[in-house]
Amino acid sequence: MKLVFAGFCDSKCSARCSKAGVQDSCLKYCRICCEKCQCVPSGTYGNKHECPCYRDLKNSKGKPKCP
C-alpha cells in the first residue's frame, strides 16, 4: 500500500511544487503530508480546502507544515 502511495505522492507533489522557489524543501514536506493525509490539493498554491488533513498539519512552531 505504501509503495502505491509513494508513486501517487511523487506525481502530486511534483505538480504541487513545480513553481516553488525551494524545490527540495517543498517536495520533502509535501511527501510527508501526502503520506500522512493521502491527499494533495490541486494546483501549485492554495486550494487547501480540498484536503483538510493536509491544510491542518502544523510544524512545531504552529505554522502550516504542508506547502
Side-chain angles (χ1 to χ4, degrees):
M1 179 72 177
K2 191 160 181 121
L3 289 175
V4 171
F5 257 106
F8 169 84
C9 290
D10 284 349
S11 64
K12 289 285 196 176
C13 288
S14 290
R16 181 81 178 165
C17 295
S18 64
K19 294 183 179 176
V22 187
Q23 288 276 315
D24 292 346
S25 182
C26 182
L27 288 168
K28 175 185 170 185
Y29 288 106
C30 182
R31 286 184 185 122
I32 290 169
C33 296
C34 178
E35 285 180 17
K36 188 168 195 136
C37 298
Q38 302 178 357
C39 176
V40 175
S42 62
T44 55
Y45 185 80
N47 299 322
K48 290 187 177 181
H49 64 280
E50 296 173 355
C51 189
C53 169
Y54 188 99
R55 176 193 67 209
D56 295 340
L57 285 177
K58 305 284 188 227
N59 65 18
S60 59
K61 295 176 182 158
K63 303 269 191 209
K65 181 179 191 114
C66 309

